[in-house]
Structure formats: structure tokens, C-alpha cells
Amino acid sequence: MSASASRRRLAVVTASLLALGGVGSVVTARAATPSEGGISDTSRSVQWTGGPFAVPNVTGTSGPVTCGPNLCDDFTLHVSTPAGYGSSHQLKVTVGWPVAAADFDVYLLDHAGNQVATAASSSDPEVLITAPTSGDYTVRVVPYAPLGQSFTATAALLDLPANPAPSTATPPTWSQYGAPEPFARAHGAGEPSIGNSHKSGSTFYQALFDTYKATWNDSASPSKVAWTDVSAKAANGCASGGTTSLDPIGFTDPTTGRVFESQLAGKTSLMCFSDDDGATWSPSQGGGINSGVDHQTVGGGAYPRSGVVGPLPTSSYPHAVYYCSQDIADASCASSRDGGVTFGPAVPIYSLLDCGGLHGHVKVAPDGTVYVPNKGCGGNQALAVSEDGGTTWSVRKNPASTAGSSDPSVGIGANGTVYMGYQAADGTPRVSVSRDKGVTWTDDQNVGAAAGIHNTVFPVVVAGDDDRASYSFIGTPTAGNYQDATTFRADWHLYVSTTYDGGKTWVTVDTTPTDPVQRGSICTGGTTCGKDRNLLDFMDATVDREGRVLVGYADGCTGACAAPGGTQNFDAYATIARQQSGLTLYAANDPLPNLVPTALSTSKAKSVLYPSATMANTGAGPAKGATMHLVVDGVVTGTTTPVDLAPGQSRTVTFPGLPLAKGSHTITVVCDPGNTVRESNEADNKRSVTVSS
């Protein structure tokens, strides 16, 4: 269905492959220098070299790697660690080479020859991370595109990165919505895109040729949905609709409501757009001149803010639109100044000297900064960033990250904070935060730690307010090589992790706890995979106008497969996970507290008055740092210490005694006297009594 693959450099090595002849035969690999070494808890690293290599070995793209003379390099690694060592340590294998345009892959095999882990991206260096289990292993380095290079390798036992405590926020709840069975391709919905129009409230799910509109009814709980097939066709204005595709992609501009559907067509695309929720469609030029042949992505948003040199609109459409794709030696983006009707020429955003070819989805910040994430840039994950509307680009690495096999994703908050979710080299779901457009990064952490997640695919991040973001991924607590269709046995679920404090802490939820999304392996190796590539290459997420998160994914385990003990059926069922309850990504829609003085009484001892008051939270949201003032005859005489009150909670305080002069006095208590707590009712914060002394 999709033309995406883990490599798009086969053309570079095709001529060399023709000379391999007997590459399919099993021949002992050449030995590294030295040929073996050991690591332990007391001697934690070892280094070796190999090469030079002239002939590529791409046999791994069509099945198990086959070695021949000078086509593999094997190093015997002895690991000796005490029991329990893996709870706080990891084994990291790093293989690097001088010329970044070359490419080597790394495979870790156990004593029986079974593949334990692999690093086969386009990154330099390749990094493999796995559990530090005692045993004898083979580290096999394969010259995928060696260009005459030699390599240097290191195996090391490292401390696991520290992880902050998970968030104490109340986890959101989720509901799942599958497309109607009568939809012809409801079960052929791999690598979907999803978007939401804040104008109409409709959600759009794009997979292959099909665009499905979901309309929500929130008067019921759980919410109900009505699905409509609004796919672009010649009959509704899109002459290219439903005809051909090498890769599908969709994008909905939440502000304008314009919906795009694009089908990859070599070095361009067949694209149409709709301004009426898919009722009618209009043709677009598609990708810019000399765009790439694969992994297309469409996005849009604000133009760069005034004072920044960049493109200017040529129509009344208020937003820029970007079309990005990758080619054999680079990746590029073309920009549109007229709402996606036409595109300018494609501009390179990086080359293979900077990053591997494949990239994630383009995102545009509120200030017009454009981001394209990449899973492998010199051993790290990174962002290609443009601050001038796509005219020039720079690559900004996340130094805390390691290269992965799934495309990373970014979400951008209202004030420009960038959240990057990625699959680390050890398979775990990690996230980092940048507040300076990717120049520096903080708060890198494993959001799957509390759930025991060991393997992850398809990271996708969205953000709302600057301190709120959501990171969705398909994950499993089962460790091991998740791409091994023969031996890997696991149940995969859809997880969503949310931060409400700017990425300091995250709360993670299994949104499909009783219904696996996939059983067994998931292949992210491109078109060379077997039937376990049913989910294809990615999924997507969006935010509706209330701040709810919606995740568009393909459910790979349906019917009898989803029952206990079921057998994987390799489905790709169009499904939306929608947030049902809990705080959204827009604080303006949070349930609010209401602080009310529900009681005020006084007692006297001799000539001293002792006021007592109760402050209750009668609202639906928590109150943080709530205080009361005691006011006597218009003068503040006391303030309580701040207290947090959950909905329904109250606090009773007796104030210090007050000596009062003879006569009548007005005693008043005021909840939230400084108006620091946003409440559902700001008019019921006072209570007064009159006393005589």
C-alpha cells in the first residue's frame, strides 16, 4: 500500500550489488580488530575497529542478513554482570565512521545466533541499546553503504538515565471509535493522518484515498460520533481523487478549517483541498518543483512574525502551507503563499551528511517557525528548523537523544515551547522540551517508565497551552527485538502521556487496556517487511477546539484477535481514540473551583472575640493555594495560610482572639481575597456577621 521504506538509497549501491553474485551463501564473516573482548560491572567498556569496506551488503533489506567475504564484521562480546544489574544499567553499542554519507548497520546476536537487538537507521553513529544480560554475544557490523570507510565500535555498560517522578495529575480517560464497517477501506487504514477544524468542530481521518469526517455529539457520555465518507473524487471537484498513490497524507488547518489530502506521485503529489468539510474539493499544484520521492508531509500555520525576513502571502488565505518530502540524498520543503493552491520550488532542509533521509511530519509554530523532525542525525534525533518561512533551514540536535527506528514528532505550545517525542535506541518512549526553538533541550525523560514500557513505535505529539502537551505511542512492556516476526511475542496497546507543567512530569494512560492494537511483531523496516507491517509507518494526533486530544491510528488486532489468547490478524482498522474526560490541553476549559465561606461564627471569652470560618470548594475543579482574610469593621486583621482544596473539600479555621471595644462590629471573611484562584463564581466569596461587645 505504501512506498515508504527504511532506506531510499538503494540506487546508490545497485551497481555494486550486481557484482556480489554469491552473496546469498553463508560464509563466515571477517573478524574485527581485536576479534573479541569482554565487559563487566568492574570493567565497563571495550573498543574495536573494522574495515575498510568497499562492497555494500544490503541483504538485510529483503530478509536476514547474509554474510560473505568482506560483507560483515563480527566481534565476540562477553558480558558478565551480577543478578539485578539490568534494573539500573544498560548495554550500549556505538559504531561510527568518518564520512557521514556512508552507512553501517549493527546487529546483536546471542550465542545461538538469534537477533537480540539491531540499529539499522541511516545515522552516524549507529547506537544499539539493550539489557546488560550476562552471556556471549556477536556484534555484527554490516556495511550497508560503506563508501570505502572503516568503523570504530564501543560496547559499554552505562547507568540508566534518571527519570523524574510521574505526574500526580488525574489521568484523562479515553473512548475508542471505529469507522463504519460499510466503508470499503475501513480495514485498510494504515499510517493515517488526523486533523480537526476548530471552525466546524469536525474531525478528519485520512488513509490512502479515503477522507472520513467524524462529527461529535457530546450530550451523551461517552460521546457519540457520526461518520461520513467525504473522500476527494472527480465527482466532487478533485480530478485526481482516488486514482493513484505511493503514499497518502492529510492535513487540516485548525484555524481556517481547510482540509488537504495528498497522494504521493514520484517527485510531486496529487493534492486537493476543501473549505466546506469535504463537501467539495479543489485541485492543488501539489508538491513543489523537484520535491522528493518519498515520505511526504503537509502542514501549515502562521507566516513568520513581522520583522522576520520571509515569504509574504499572495492571496487572502492567512496561513502558509508547506509540502516536505525526502529524496535519495536529501530532504526538502516547498512553501505555498496562496493557501496550497500553488507551491514554490523545493528547498533542501538537510542532506545525508547531516541526517538520514526519512523525516517526521512538518509542524508550524504560532510565531511561524517551521519544524521537521528526524530520527537520525549523527547519532541523535533532531529538528530541521526554518525561522524565515522555509527559505533557509538549520539542523538542531537533541543531544540527550539516541537515534531510533520510528519517526519522531513535535508539538508546539501557544508560546513556542517545543515538545519532541521519540523512540529511543533502547525502544522506550522518551520526550524532551525546548524553549528556544531546538537550540537547547531540557527535561528529557522516559514517559513509559511507570507503565514498564520497553518497546515503542509511532510517536506523535501535540500541544495546546504552552505548558500542556500530549504524547501518544503504541507500546508494549515486552522487551526484545520487536521486529522479529519469528520469536517476538507481545501485546501492544495505545498509550497517551500528558503534561500539565511544561514537560516536568507526565501522566501516562493505556487507552486500550483490554483490546490490543497489535499482537506479536511490528515491522518498521519499510517495504521489505512481511505482513507485520500492516500498520505501515506512523499514526497521527490532533487537538479539538475544546483542547481534547484525538489520536488517529490503525487497529491491527480486531475481532477474534482482540479476545483473550487471540491470534494476530494483521488488520488496519480506521480508529480514533478521543479524550473523554480530564483536563484538556487548554486551561481555559478546565473545570473551575468555587470558594465559598459556608460558615462564620464567633465566641467570646471575657472581652475577646474568637471568629471561626469554614471555606469550602463547591466547584468542579481543584483550588490551589486558597486563603481567607478576616476583616473587622473594614480592616484586615488576619490571613490564613494557603491550602489546596479538591472539589467538595472544606477547611475550618479559628482566628486568633480579637479584643473589641464596646459597641456593634461587622465581622467578614473573604475567600481568595487576592483573586489568585480563577473560579466559576467570583461573587460568592464573602460572608459577614454583626456582633456586639
Side-chain angles (χ1 to χ4, degrees):
M1 176 182 291
S2 169
S4 296
S6 62
R7 298 293 201 286
R8 291 298 174 187
R9 281 190 268 169
L10 296 182
V12 176
V13 298
T14 299
S16 298
L17 285 175
L18 295 176
L20 289 180
V23 73
S25 59
V26 178
V27 180
T28 303
R30 68 187 291 175
T33 305
S35 61
E36 63 180 300
I39 53 176
S40 68
D41 56 321
T42 58
S43 180
R44 296 174 61 172
S45 69
V46 63
Q47 187 176 85
W48 69 98
T49 61
F53 295 88
V55 180
N57 181 356
V58 298
T59 57
T61 62
S62 57
V65 171
T66 303
C67 293
N70 299 318
L71 293 177
C72 296
D73 188 285
D74 283 359
F75 176 82
T76 301
L77 176 65
H78 308 286
V79 179
S80 178
T81 56
Y85 191 76
S87 63
S88 56
H89 299 83
Q90 59 190 2
L91 168 61
K92 181 178 182 180
V93 178
T94 304
V95 178
W97 50 93
V99 176
D103 189 19
F104 291 79
D105 293 339
V106 186
Y107 300 85
L108 184 67
L109 310 177
D110 65 16
H111 68 283
N114 298 313
Q115 186 173 298
V116 176
T118 182
S121 67
S122 300
S123 178
D124 177 15
E126 288 283 10
V127 177
L128 180 154
I129 298 177
T130 191
T133 306
S134 289
D136 295 330
Y137 299 88
T138 298
V139 181
R140 176 162 292 167
V141 179
V142 177
Y144 184 85
L147 304 182
Q149 295 292 292
S150 299
F151 69 82
T152 300
T154 303
L157 296 172
L158 304 177
D159 296 337
L160 283 172
N163 217 49
S167 172
T168 58
T170 301
T173 64
W174 297 81
S175 297
Q176 311 295 323
Y177 301 88
E181 292 291 342
F183 286 5
R185 281 185 288 266
H187 289 271
E191 58 183 31
S193 306
I194 193 171
N196 186 270
S197 168
H198 291 190
K199 291 182 69 175
S200 67
S202 298
T203 300
F204 297 90
Y205 183 108
Q206 179 76 38
L208 195 56
F209 303 125
D210 297 348
T211 307
Y212 302 150
K213 181 175 77 169
T215 305
W216 305 97
N217 176 5
D218 294 314
S219 63
S221 183
S223 302
K224 296 185 180 299
V225 64
W227 293 82
T228 310
D229 186 342
V230 295
S231 302
K233 303 180 180 68
N236 57 16
C238 181
S240 61
T243 57
T244 185
S245 180
L246 296 176
D247 255 342
I249 203 74
F251 167 67
T252 301
D253 188 311
T255 304
T256 68
R258 181 165 287 186
V259 182
F260 293 86
E261 69 90 36
S262 179
Q263 309 297 332
L264 186 69
K267 290 181 70 65
T268 185
S269 67
L270 306 174
M271 184 187 299
C272 291
F273 62 89
S274 174
D275 288 322
D276 53 12
D277 278 9
T280 61
W281 295 82
S282 300
S284 161
Q285 167 195 325
I289 296 174
N290 202 36
S291 290
V293 297
D294 188 33
H295 235 55
Q296 65 165 342
T297 172
V298 179
Y303 285 94
R305 289 178 176 169
S306 59
V308 177
V309 176
L312 296 175
T314 59
S315 75
S316 60
Y317 189 79
H319 284 170
V321 180
Y322 298 91
Y323 177 90
C324 304
S325 53
Q326 62 97 192
D327 224 329
I328 291 174
D330 63 10
S332 60
C333 289
S335 62
S336 173
R337 319 290 199 254
D338 56 11
V341 179
T342 63
F343 285 83
V347 175
I349 62 175
Y350 56 76
S351 74
L352 288 181
L353 297 177
D354 306 306
C355 303
L358 299 186
H359 52 72
H361 291 174
V362 61
K363 298 284 185 73
V364 182
D367 70 350
T369 303
V370 189
Y371 298 93
V372 179
N374 188 288
K375 64 187 177 184
C377 298
N380 301 119
Q381 310 217 17
L383 300 177
V385 183
S386 176
E387 298 185 56
D388 55 11
T391 304
T392 62
W393 295 81
S394 61
V395 174
R396 298 174 184 175
K397 298 180 182 179
N398 174 4
S401 66
T402 51
S405 298
S406 271
D407 296 330
S409 176
V410 294
I412 306 112
N415 293 328
T417 293
V418 177
Y419 300 86
M420 183 167 75
Y422 64 95
Q423 175 211 50
D426 63 355
T428 56
R430 300 190 70 88
V431 65
S432 292
V433 183
S434 177
R435 294 171 177 83
D436 55 9
K437 303 182 181 182
V439 176
T440 62
W441 295 89
T442 64
D443 302 302
D444 185 85
Q445 60 188 282
N446 176 5
V447 300
I453 304 301
H454 284 287
N455 277 305
T456 307
V457 294
F458 308 158
V460 57
V461 183
V462 291
D465 292 344
D466 210 50
D467 59 351
R468 298 191 177 193
S470 174
Y471 175 13
S472 306
F473 56 91
I474 294 174
T476 178
T478 302
N481 178 17
Y482 69 86
Q483 299 194 67
D484 189 335
T486 303
T487 63
F488 191 74
R489 299 290 180 264
D491 285 354
W492 299 78
H493 291 255
L494 175 66
Y495 293 85
V496 179
S497 190
T498 310
T499 182
Y500 300 105
D501 57 9
K504 300 295 183 185
T505 62
W506 297 76
V507 57
T508 301
V509 177
D510 181 351
T511 74
T512 58
T514 62
D515 185 359
V517 173
Q518 182 94 334
R519 294 190 193 272
S521 58
I522 296 178
C523 185
T524 54
T527 54
T528 61
C529 296
K531 60 184 179 180
D532 58 347
R533 193 175 174 256
N534 52 307
L535 307 181
L536 300 182
D537 290 339
F538 55 81
M539 62 182 189
D540 202 4
T542 189
V543 183
D544 71 13
R545 59 191 176 192
E546 283 77 31
R548 300 184 195 91
V549 176
L550 300 93
V551 184
Y553 69 100
D555 187 352
C557 177
T558 59
C561 172
T567 301
Q568 174 64 26
N569 63 338
F570 301 103
D571 202 351
Y573 181 39
T575 309
I576 296 174
R578 186 174 187 256
Q579 184 178 345
Q580 189 63 45
S581 69
L583 298 181
T584 73
L585 298 189
Y586 297 147
N589 295 324
D590 286 357
L592 297 177
N594 190 42
L595 298 172
V596 179
T598 56
L600 174 60
S601 61
T602 61
S603 61
K604 283 198 301 184
K606 298 182 179 180
S607 60
V608 178
L609 187 74
Y610 293 91
S612 180
T614 299
M615 175 174 58
N617 179 4
T618 63
K624 303 290 187 181
T627 61
M628 286 189 292
H629 273 178
L630 177 67
V631 182
V632 179
D633 296 333
V635 178
V636 177
T637 61
T639 303
T640 62
T641 57
V643 63
D644 295 341
L645 293 177
Q649 283 189 327
S650 63
R651 182 192 185 199
T652 299
V653 176
T654 299
F655 291 89
L658 298 170
L660 296 179
K662 289 187 177 295
S664 178
H665 301 277
T666 300
I667 311 295
T668 303
V669 287
V670 182
C671 298
D672 188 32
N675 288 322
T676 59
V677 178
R678 191 165 65 96
E679 300 177 65
S680 57
N681 185 353
E682 300 283 2
D684 57 358
N685 293 82
K686 296 181 180 181
R687 192 179 189 98
S688 299
V689 296
T690 300
V691 298
S692 298
S693 61

